[in-house]
């Protein structure tokens, strides 16, 4: 189980442009890794746009923002273009990264149970350790609380 203070699970995946992204290549940087259920859905769009709107502040603070879902590269590319998202969206089509971080599991919606990604955010420090985990995320306010947490 991933917890605050532990080493962030390594990953090697692709972004919406098809580029390889490995966590170990981001050592020395502060990273926000936010898991979200699906591109272009109401809550996920609010969350992505909150990070977009605060992106300059993240950039000034030297914080890399990464969004991740089980959507494929084409879906991420379309989502990023539609909402002018300036940060990287990562693919996790086999949900192996979500499983490693403990964000993949049983969900319920309108009386139906299914497997999917839970909305959760991890702050990873320059040494690759998890500084903070946000279990309960309010999509439209999330970027600000993440920025504040990294400032502490």
């Amino acid at each position: 189980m991933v917890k605050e203070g532990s080493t962030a699970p390594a990953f090697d995946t692709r972004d919406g442009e098809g580029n390889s992204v490995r966590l170990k290549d981001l050592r020395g940087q502060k990273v926000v890794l936010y898991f979200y259920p699906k591109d272009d859905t109401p809550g996920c769009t609010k969350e992505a746009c909150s990070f977009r709107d605060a992106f300059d502040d993240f950039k000034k603070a030297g914080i890399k923002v990464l969004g991740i879902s089980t959507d494929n590269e084409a879906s991420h590319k379309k989502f990023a273009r539609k909402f002018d998202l300036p940060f990287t969206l990562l693919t996790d089509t086999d949900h192996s990264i979500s499983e490693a971080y403990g964000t993949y599991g049983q969900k319920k919606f309108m009386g139906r149970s299914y497997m999917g990604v839970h909305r959760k955010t991890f702050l990873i420090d320059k040494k690759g350790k998890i500084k903070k985990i946000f279990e309960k995320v309010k999509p439209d306010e999330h970027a600000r609380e993440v920025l504040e947490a990294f400032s502490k």
Side-chain angles (χ1 to χ4, degrees), residues 24-81:
K24 72 178 186 177
D25 293 339
L26 301 173
R27 242 338 117 78
Q29 294 180 59
K30 296 176 189 172
V31 176
V32 172
L33 182 64
Y34 83 92
F35 288 82
Y36 65 98
K38 188 144 184 59
D39 288 341
D40 209 1
T41 56
C44 297
T45 298
K46 280 182 189 175
E47 186 175 19
C49 290
S50 80
F51 278 109
R52 176 200 64 201
D53 296 347
F55 186 72
D56 286 344
D57 295 329
F58 281 96
K59 203 170 177 181
K60 282 179 199 155
I63 302 168
K64 178 100 172 153
V65 176
L66 302 172
I68 185 167
S69 77
T70 57
D71 294 302
N72 63 27
E73 293 170 23
S75 177
H76 282 342
K77 193 174 200 173
K78 184 177 174 186
F79 183 46
R81 287 207 171 120

Side-chain angles (χ1 to χ4, degrees), residues 2-125:
V2 178
K3 55 185 187 252
E4 291 177 10
S6 66
T7 300
F11 60 78
D12 184 349
T13 190
R14 299 219 169 273
D15 66 16
E17 300 297 321
N19 301 310
S20 179
V21 178
R22 298 182 311 177
L23 183 60
K24 72 178 186 177
D25 293 339
L26 301 173
R27 242 338 117 78
Q29 294 180 59
K30 296 176 189 172
V31 176
V32 172
L33 182 64
Y34 83 92
F35 288 82
Y36 65 98
K38 188 144 184 59
D39 288 341
D40 209 1
T41 56
C44 297
T45 298
K46 280 182 189 175
E47 186 175 19
C49 290
S50 80
F51 278 109
R52 176 200 64 201
D53 296 347
F55 186 72
D56 286 344
D57 295 329
F58 281 96
K59 203 170 177 181
K60 282 179 199 155
I63 302 168
K64 178 100 172 153
V65 176
L66 302 172
I68 185 167
S69 77
T70 57
D71 294 302
N72 63 27
E73 293 170 23
S75 177
H76 282 342
K77 193 174 200 173
K78 184 177 174 186
F79 183 46
R81 287 207 171 120
K82 182 176 180 180
F83 293 100
D84 198 26
L85 304 178
F87 52 87
T88 304
L89 297 178
L90 303 176
T91 62
D92 184 25
T93 54
D94 66 357
H95 48 79
S96 60
I97 301 168
S98 301
E99 287 179 17
Y101 279 81
T103 65
Y104 191 79
Q106 186 138 18
K107 298 178 77 173
K108 288 186 181 209
F109 182 69
M110 295 179 67
R112 185 174 72 88
S113 289
Y114 62 98
M115 296 298 283
V117 175
H118 293 273
R119 195 180 304 280
K120 209 182 234 190
T121 301
F122 298 83
L123 306 189
I124 304 169
D125 69 17

